Amino acid sequence: MNPLKKYYLIISLFLCCLFINSALAQDLNALVTKLQQAVTPVQTGSKNYEATLESPQPGTIKYAYDEIDQKGNRTNFVYEFNLADIDPYAVRENTQKDVISSVLAVKNKQKLVKVYKNKEVQSYDDLVVIYASNIESARNISDLVKKAIPPAEKVAASRLKVSGYDGMITWLGNNVKDVTLGTKSIGQFISKFDEPGTLLLRQRETDSKGAVETEYTFNLADINVNSVMFKVAGNKFAITMQTLQKAKYIGVMRAGERRPYVDDITINTNNVDEARDLKTVFTLLIPLAVEKVKASMPAATTEKEALTKLKTYAGNVSLGPRQYEQTMDQQCACTFTQIEKDAKTTTSHVYQFNWMDLNPVSSVIDVSGEKVFLDLQMNNKDKLIKHEKNDKHDGYDSEFKIYFSSIENARRAKVLADKAIEKCASSYKDPFPADAKSVVTWLRNNIKDVTNDDVTLKQGLELVEDGNVNKLKYTRTELNSKGSGAVEVYEFNLSDLNPLSVQTDVKLKWLYISVEADFKSKIIKYYKDGKIQPYAAKIDFAVSDTEQARAVSNALKKGIKGVKPAK
């Protein structure tokens, strides 16, 4: 399209929208003017009602009356509401003794009507009662309200003149306002925070007892867009929103002290229209924030790059009185060291694992009180993480935690951890050749002694017949401070073993690779101190760490498949 024609088309559409909105406002104003004229003083047997009706802005109604009893006592009532909230099918006339009225009910019985009694805010209501002098007057009021609802709905839908992520953030800064509730006032301010999508909400509540300031830090991308809704409690009107899956990702500082993370947040408003506009803007803004956050995530093309960047987020962290000193290797076979300190104790943890063994789906950002951490878990919850506590071997775990100073750091670390898992899995290569003879040679060289604490398991694998890689003999003996245990010998054919049965087992602080005979048949010859024992169906090979476990496991599977006769 010609640029000039495109320009004129945009201008025409803009002017058309202005004309339509102006026409809607004029129609609405005309109906409200008639409604004002229809509201007149009402006299009953015991009370008089002196009423007025105003419209501070299109669609918004302020209906007020003085109720005067026979002694001349006046009680003032004011009802503020938006015609767009009224259910046209629930507008009706009502008679109670000598009083007749037009009753306006809010859609879905929501309490969206702000009520004042003698200038004091009361609990929000879901009904407005407009008094009339007779049935014709009540019917006229009801009819005018029903006619005014459709244009009021259209005006309400078009009232916000804001678009784009930055524009909406600026709008929030200008429209999250201070609120007064009787003797209590709530000062509120919202602004952009450090990272894309993050906001800082500061609230200062002041009453006769003093003032308390609370700061909430949260990311719009973590908010469930369907959870943004009105919250009415007595004379308080607000909008509330909750995080996705109720994750406690909202940071809290109260009176200058860090508090436990929470999963929801409330923004107070002065009236329904403020709340409606905030709800609309947050509903539009949250999807835009999700895209902003996605675009800001760190990228990495190799495991080395991912782990180098991850290290910058997983450094030293202070969480209240407790500090965590954290260091890690930038390689797939990783050593992660975590020193936990407080005023009384120091505890060190060393975790050895391979990133390729971690499960990116079950590894999640989690929060406990004031602590933010990435809970990293092994595939199938396998215990493949070697754990040393205070320089002593403490067994094998299926998960460990990395602590972070904020949700935002943990969010970026999670992306990098997932990339490291992916790249380490795709780049791994077995440390042995593929042919059966080379595999068996590698196994003979790598099934060797393993020591835990003061116990050594001496073990070796050898050929039963020279040149025959299928017939093998496995020997092991346990040595401890009291001396030597029994000498155990297993003789078996590699071709009789089931490659699908190869798995990693943990027994106390020991890590084993186990393998069973086909169909769990007891065909493995077993000797103990030179004496023949009942045949066995399973063999366990001890390994020193998870890297050796992986290599031995893969070698056994390839070796078994390599010598099995073709079917």
Side-chain angles (χ1 to χ4, degrees), residues 65-84:
Y65 64 86
D66 284 344
E67 182 183 272
I68 308 166
D69 63 18
Q70 291 177 330
K71 294 181 180 180
N73 298 315
R74 287 178 177 264
T75 305
N76 178 255
F77 293 90
V78 179
Y79 296 84
E80 292 181 358
F81 63 98
N82 195 307
L83 286 164

Side-chain angles (χ1 to χ4, degrees), residues 86-137:
I86 301 301
D87 185 350
Y89 300 104
V91 177
R92 67 188 190 279
E93 295 77 49
N94 185 55
T95 302
Q96 285 187 331
K97 295 183 180 179
D98 60 345
V99 180
I100 196 164
S101 61
S102 173
V103 179
L104 319 182
V106 178
K107 295 171 185 173
N108 301 319
K109 296 183 178 180
Q110 298 178 92
K111 293 187 176 182
L112 305 184
V113 180
K114 191 171 187 178
V115 182
Y116 296 84
K117 182 179 179 181
N118 292 329
K119 298 184 179 180
E120 289 189 6
V121 180
Q122 307 296 303
S123 297
Y124 277 78
D125 205 342
D126 60 359
L127 287 175
V128 179
V129 177
I130 300 179
Y131 294 106
S133 56
N134 52 53
I135 185 60
E136 287 79 12
S137 177

Side-chain angles (χ1 to χ4, degrees), residues 25-42:
Q26 288 178 8
D27 290 345
L28 183 57
N29 289 337
L31 289 166
V32 169
T33 299
K34 291 181 180 179
L35 192 58
Q36 288 174 317
Q37 295 167 353
V39 173
T40 58
V42 175

Side-chain angles (χ1 to χ4, degrees), residues 448-452 455-459 510 542-544 548:
K448 48 192 178 182
D449 299 352
V450 177
T451 299
N452 274 323
V455 177
T456 297
L457 198 62
K458 293 185 67 66
Q459 54 182 2
W510 293 85
V543 291
S544 58
Q548 189 189 15

Side-chain angles (χ1 to χ4, degrees), residues 268-328:
N268 298 281
T269 63
N270 290 290
N271 52 53
V272 178
D273 287 331
E274 281 186 13
R276 182 186 293 105
D277 289 347
L278 285 174
K279 183 175 184 292
T280 299
V281 170
F282 275 111
T283 302
L284 294 172
L285 186 55
I286 288 168
L288 300 180
V290 171
E291 295 305 314
K292 285 275 185 183
V293 172
K294 283 182 180 178
S296 73
M297 289 298 102
T301 56
T302 65
E303 63 269 22
K304 182 76 173 178
E305 184 182 4
L307 293 171
T308 299
K309 290 183 178 181
L310 175 57
K311 184 181 179 181
T312 64
Y313 293 107
N316 298 341
V317 177
S318 293
L319 298 170
R322 188 160 294 181
Q323 289 82 46
Y324 295 89
E325 296 176 2
Q326 303 177 124
T327 57
M328 70 167 62

Side-chain angles (χ1 to χ4, degrees), residues 334-349:
C334 181
T335 298
F336 174 64
T337 303
Q338 189 177 76
I339 300 174
E340 184 178 343
K341 297 179 179 179
D342 59 24
K344 296 180 179 180
T345 61
T346 298
T347 306
S348 69
H349 300 272

Side-chain angles (χ1 to χ4, degrees), residues 277-418:
D277 289 347
L278 285 174
K279 183 175 184 292
T280 299
V281 170
F282 275 111
T283 302
L284 294 172
L285 186 55
I286 288 168
L288 300 180
V290 171
E291 295 305 314
K292 285 275 185 183
V293 172
K294 283 182 180 178
S296 73
M297 289 298 102
T301 56
T302 65
E303 63 269 22
K304 182 76 173 178
E305 184 182 4
L307 293 171
T308 299
K309 290 183 178 181
L310 175 57
K311 184 181 179 181
T312 64
Y313 293 107
N316 298 341
V317 177
S318 293
L319 298 170
R322 188 160 294 181
Q323 289 82 46
Y324 295 89
E325 296 176 2
Q326 303 177 124
T327 57
M328 70 167 62
D329 297 337
Q330 283 83 66
Q331 54 192 19
C332 293
C334 181
T335 298
F336 174 64
T337 303
Q338 189 177 76
I339 300 174
E340 184 178 343
K341 297 179 179 179
D342 59 24
K344 296 180 179 180
T345 61
T346 298
T347 306
S348 69
H349 300 272
V350 178
Y351 302 95
Q352 292 179 325
F353 63 97
N354 195 307
W355 284 96
M356 67 180 288
D357 295 323
L358 293 168
N359 186 333
V361 175
S362 59
S363 297
V364 295
I365 299 169
D366 206 348
V367 175
S368 176
E370 301 163 30
K371 296 178 182 177
V372 179
F373 53 88
L374 185 56
D375 187 7
L376 293 159
Q377 299 192 21
M378 289 282 129
N379 283 312
N380 305 314
K381 296 187 177 180
D382 293 332
K383 292 187 175 182
L384 295 178
I385 303 168
K386 189 174 184 178
H387 181 200
E388 290 183 6
K389 184 177 181 180
N390 293 331
D391 300 322
K392 290 184 178 181
H393 181 44
D394 198 50
Y396 290 85
D397 298 331
S398 62
E399 63 181 311
F400 70 101
K401 296 176 175 63
I402 302 177
Y403 291 94
F404 299 91
S405 59
S406 68
I407 292 290
E408 294 309 307
N409 282 353
R411 188 194 312 280
R412 283 152 182 79
K414 165 65 172 159
V415 171
L416 293 167
D418 290 352

Side-chain angles (χ1 to χ4, degrees), residues 12 80 105 187 203 218 229 246 265 393 402 450 551:
S12 299
E80 292 181 358
Q203 293 180 331
F218 63 102
M229 59 183 62
K246 298 183 179 180
I265 196 165
H393 181 44
I402 302 177
V450 177

